């Protein structure tokens, strides 16, 4: 029987790999709970840390086996309130708490000291129950509640620190509607330049955080944001650094046939990676066992080109790994309205995240609305050896439900050696090229999922150009993943038939 399976497997591998660029999706009868295990190979920048030569030991211990839940904390909390949160986490089989306080806001030095005191207190209590704590800290976005109506905000106090778009406008906006749910009405969202003096201001605060006794830093939004402006990265500090690094003047218009524009696209990605390298080094200079967990919203799709955060660039940077925010189709009902090709896209993104993290642990958001859709999302994360951060769409520090989390994390705990402490047996690789994504698809359309038709106001997009069907490089890459899913599914079905007949 083994010979028959081997012969059939060889036949499958010899199938002509024809992927139609525009119509790569034609699924029929795929069982979405069957998850493909592919080995990914990704390119990365040749960057190394300047201070540390080894990874933190945490990458082979608690980070590697983490089951993560979020907690919203406040400086005014009592010890009893902290204790209740910690007890709930223990009962729900959580091992790592993502602690989210007020670090998103523009804080005075005195307010920041109160945050540090909260970190010390909460970490000490969590450690008594054998829990680890990583603290959420947005890096390049600073919020000022009601900033539209205040005299002092990050942007108003430091207008030269913010990112500037290609049109010369500052990367600042005010909230109040739509899918930007984290920016409240009239709140200022200021996006900071990693080349400006803001970087020193931020690194100084990272050093202070690393000395509090928390176990690691959960770093969000290290990117050139494209909500307020297009093609951020034209502030005077960035322009000067581009000139110093390349000898070139900054481009003046988006032009994909212009070699300077293409060089600028690559330079922006490198700058984000260098910024993250320096953040990790700042923390580990205080505590060598202080990992940096980078919340990475971009995966294999084309938004990476515009915002310049490419997870594949960080694989070789010591002390850094990812928590991949794999967005759902809808910020209202998650993946409940997904078509089969959307699940294929989710499989591809989970595999990308695991592979782009290299030999280091890989965490992922497992957004859900109800337990049935959330279970499928978490199943894909676990099947691809990603550690689940369980939360309810669209917010962090929430849960689909205590019973659901306890059941899923309990199963993950029982099977942890098979999920997180083994190596994949796959011998098939799908090669992914960040440069090809950038220079072939040229940031035209997002490509997160395929389904763009919905009346849901919180749907990921209704623009057809954003569908993965419409992208050249991404369509071919995702199409290859789809083909392998189908072929392996057929092989599995045949193997079952042969076993039943034997």
């Amino acid at each position: 029987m083994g010979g028959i399976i081997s012969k059939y497997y060889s036949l499958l591998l010899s199938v002509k790999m024809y992927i139609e660029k525009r119509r790569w999706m034609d699924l029929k009868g795929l069982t979405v709970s069957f998850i493909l295990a592919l080995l990914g190979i990704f390119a990365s920048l040749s960057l190394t840390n300047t201070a540390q030569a080894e990874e933190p030991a945490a990458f082979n211990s608690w980070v590697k086996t983490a089951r993560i839940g979020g907690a919203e904390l406040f400086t005014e909390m009592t010890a009893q309130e902290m204790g209740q949160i910690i007890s709930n986490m223990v009962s729900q089989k959580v091992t790592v708490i993502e602690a989210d306080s007020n670090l998103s806001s523009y804080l005075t030095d005195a307010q920041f000291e109160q945050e540090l005191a909260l970190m010390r207190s909460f970490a000490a209590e969590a450690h008594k129950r054998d829990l680890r704590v990583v603290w959420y800290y947005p890096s390049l976005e600073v919020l000022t509640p009601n900033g539209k109506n205040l005299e002092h905000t990050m942007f108003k106090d430091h207008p030269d620190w913010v990112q500037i778009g290609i049109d010369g406008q500052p990367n600042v906006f005010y909230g109040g509607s739509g899918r930007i749910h984290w920016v409240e009405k009239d709140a200022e969202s200021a996006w900071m330049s990693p080349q400006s003096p803001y970087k020193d201001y931020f690194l100084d605060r990272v050093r202070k955080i690393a000395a509090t006794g928390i176990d690691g830093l959960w770093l969000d939004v290290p990117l050139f944001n494209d909500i307020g402006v297009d093609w951020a990265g034209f502030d005077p500090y960035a322009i000067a650094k581009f000139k110093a690094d390349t000898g070139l003047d900054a481009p003046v218009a988006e032009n994909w046939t212009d070699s300077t524009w293409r060089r600028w696209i690559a330079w922006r990605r490198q700058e984000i990676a260098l910024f993250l390298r320096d953040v990790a080094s700042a923390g580990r200079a205080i505590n060598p066992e202080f990992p940096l967990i980078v919340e990475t919203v971009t995966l294999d799709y084309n938004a990476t080109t515009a915002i310049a955060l490419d997870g594949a660039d960080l694989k070789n940077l010591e002390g850094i790994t990812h928590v991949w925010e794999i967005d759902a189709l809808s910020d209202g009902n998650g993946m409940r309205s997904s078509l089969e090709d959307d699940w294929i896209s989710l499989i591809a993104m989970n595999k990308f995240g695991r592979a782009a993290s290299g030999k280091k642990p890989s965490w992922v958001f497992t957004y859900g609305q109800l337990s049935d859709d959330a279970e499928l999302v978490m199943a894909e994360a676990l099947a691809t050896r990603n550690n689940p951060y369980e939360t309810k769409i669209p917010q962090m520090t929430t849960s689909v439900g205590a019973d659901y989390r306890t059941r899923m994390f309990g199963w993950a705990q029982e099977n942890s050696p098979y999920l997180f402490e083994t190596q994949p047996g796959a011998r098939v690789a799908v090669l992914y090229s960040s440069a090809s994504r950038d220079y072939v698809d040229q940031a035209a359309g997002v490509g997160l999922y395929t389904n763009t038709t919905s009346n849901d106001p919180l749907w990921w997009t209704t623009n057809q150009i954003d569908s993965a069907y419409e992208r050249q490089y991404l369509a071919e890459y995702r199409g290859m993943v789809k083909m392998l899913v189908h072929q392996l599914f057929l092989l599995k079905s045949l193997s079952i038939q042969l076993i039943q007949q034997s």
Side-chain angles (χ1 to χ4, degrees):
M1 183 180 66
I4 296 175
I5 294 176
S6 177
K7 183 177 180 180
Y8 184 71
Y9 182 64
S10 299
L11 179 63
L12 289 180
L13 292 182
S14 68
V15 172
K16 182 179 180 181
M17 295 183 181
Y18 177 79
I19 306 296
E20 184 181 357
K21 179 168 61 179
R22 298 271 180 176
R23 297 292 179 187
W24 56 271
M25 300 294 188
D26 186 23
L27 283 172
K28 297 183 185 296
L30 175 65
T31 302
V32 297
S33 60
F34 178 69
I35 311 300
L36 174 66
L38 296 174
L39 174 65
I41 302 174
F42 301 91
S44 62
L45 294 177
S46 296
L47 301 170
T48 57
N49 291 57
T50 56
Q52 287 77 34
E54 297 180 356
E55 300 288 4
F59 283 170
N60 283 316
S61 56
W62 63 267
V63 179
K64 187 176 183 179
T65 58
R67 302 182 299 276
I68 311 105
E72 187 174 9
L73 306 177
F74 306 93
T75 56
E76 304 84 3
M77 294 184 77
T78 66
Q80 183 178 3
E81 289 171 328
M82 291 185 198
Q84 186 61 59
I85 289 173
I86 292 167
S87 293
N88 291 342
M89 293 292 180
V90 171
S91 67
Q92 294 166 16
K93 311 297 184 182
V94 169
T95 62
V96 178
I97 299 175
E98 176 266 321
D100 193 339
S101 56
N102 198 33
L103 293 186
S104 299
S105 295
Y106 183 38
L107 301 175
T108 65
D109 289 343
Q111 290 170 328
F112 184 70
E113 287 297 327
Q114 291 179 327
E115 295 292 321
L116 297 178
L118 174 63
M119 294 178 198
R120 297 184 190 101
S121 298
F122 189 79
E125 293 303 313
H127 291 163
K128 292 177 184 177
R129 304 294 299 274
D130 294 324
L131 292 174
R132 302 287 183 163
V133 179
V134 293
W135 218 275
Y136 177 85
Y137 194 9
S139 55
L140 297 182
E141 181 189 28
V142 180
L143 300 176
T144 305
N146 196 35
K148 192 173 184 178
N149 304 307
L150 297 179
E151 180 181 358
H152 292 287
T153 69
M154 175 58 85
F155 172 58
K156 293 171 186 176
D157 290 347
H158 302 285
D160 58 324
W161 287 8
V162 303
Q163 300 171 11
I164 301 294
I166 196 170
D167 61 356
Q169 296 301 307
N171 199 359
V172 179
F173 64 89
Y174 297 89
S177 63
R179 297 187 67 224
I180 309 172
H181 54 79
W182 67 94
V183 185
E184 297 178 352
K185 179 177 173 57
D186 291 338
E188 177 188 279
S189 173
W191 290 83
M192 315 309 293
S193 168
Q195 293 83 22
S196 76
Y198 171 79
K199 179 179 178 180
D200 292 332
Y201 163 93
F202 184 78
L203 294 182
D204 180 64
R205 292 194 165 186
V206 168
R207 295 183 190 99
K208 292 177 180 179
I209 290 172
T212 62
I214 66 170
D215 299 288
L217 193 63
W218 178 306
L219 197 79
D220 196 10
V221 291
L223 49 87
F224 290 104
N225 183 263
D226 62 349
I227 296 175
V229 299
D230 292 329
W231 297 115
F234 284 94
D235 61 275
Y237 296 104
I239 291 174
K241 192 167 190 303
F242 179 71
K243 178 75 170 182
D245 290 347
T246 67
L248 301 171
D249 292 327
V252 296
E254 180 181 352
N255 180 359
W256 291 93
T257 64
D258 177 15
S259 60
T260 300
W261 173 262
R262 294 161 68 90
R263 182 66 187 87
W264 184 76
I265 290 293
W267 176 84
R268 290 166 82 241
R269 281 178 44 208
Q270 182 172 331
E271 283 297 291
I272 293 298
L274 288 170
F275 172 73
L276 291 170
R277 181 201 66 182
D278 292 345
V279 174
S281 294
R284 297 187 72 203
I286 304 301
N287 177 7
E289 287 300 318
F290 192 74
L292 182 64
I293 315 294
V294 178
E295 184 173 326
T296 309
V297 68
T298 54
L299 288 109
D300 63 348
Y301 56 95
N302 293 350
T304 306
T305 307
I307 65 179
L309 172 61
D310 191 333
D313 292 339
L314 310 182
K315 184 190 300 185
N316 296 325
L317 296 183
E318 288 90 356
I320 299 176
T321 193
H322 299 275
V323 53
W324 302 91
E325 185 181 9
I326 303 181
D327 280 327
L329 274 170
S330 168
D331 279 347
N333 67 6
M335 297 294 289
R336 298 190 69 82
S337 300
S338 304
L339 300 179
E340 289 153 331
D341 287 354
D342 298 315
W343 287 103
I344 289 286
S345 294
L346 190 65
I347 290 171
M349 286 187 279
N350 270 283
K351 284 305 300 179
F352 177 94
R354 175 57 271 177
S357 300
K359 295 180 180 180
K360 295 180 279 191
S362 174
W363 297 359
V364 298
F365 282 62
T366 57
Y367 280 128
Q369 184 191 37
L370 301 175
S371 60
D372 55 354
D373 63 285
E375 183 175 322
L376 287 175
V377 174
M378 190 181 292
E380 293 201 5
L382 292 171
T384 48
R385 299 184 303 120
N386 288 296
N387 299 76
Y389 171 58
E390 192 274 314
T391 190
K392 185 170 184 176
I393 194 80
Q395 301 285 354
M396 301 173 68
T397 70
T398 59
S399 176
V400 170
D403 291 343
Y404 162 75
R405 177 186 281 177
T406 303
R407 175 169 58 86
M408 295 298 288
F409 278 9
W411 186 89
Q413 180 182 30
E414 292 173 5
N415 293 279
S416 183
Y418 311 108
L419 295 171
F420 307 125
E421 300 178 52
T422 58
Q423 294 299 316
R427 294 297 179 266
V428 179
V430 179
L431 182 66
Y432 182 89
S433 167
S434 295
S436 296
R437 174 206 60 223
D438 288 345
Y439 301 129
V440 174
D441 284 352
Q442 300 177 358
V446 175
L448 177 63
Y449 290 105
T450 59
N451 183 7
T452 62
T453 304
S454 177
N455 294 322
D456 183 347
L458 298 179
W459 201 247
W460 74 282
T461 186
T462 55
N463 296 324
Q464 182 61 27
I465 192 175
D466 287 329
S467 172
Y469 291 142
E470 301 298 322
R471 309 277 46 84
Q472 180 175 344
Y473 178 78
L474 184 62
E476 293 178 354
Y477 169 76
R478 293 263 183 94
M480 187 65 71
V481 173
K482 174 192 171 179
M483 186 202 70
L484 292 171
V485 169
H486 276 248
Q487 298 300 332
L488 195 56
F489 180 72
L490 290 174
L491 176 60
K492 178 184 177 184
S493 299
L494 178 64
S495 300
I496 292 173
Q497 292 176 18
L498 291 173
I499 291 170
Q500 290 174 341
Q501 294 171 7
S502 62

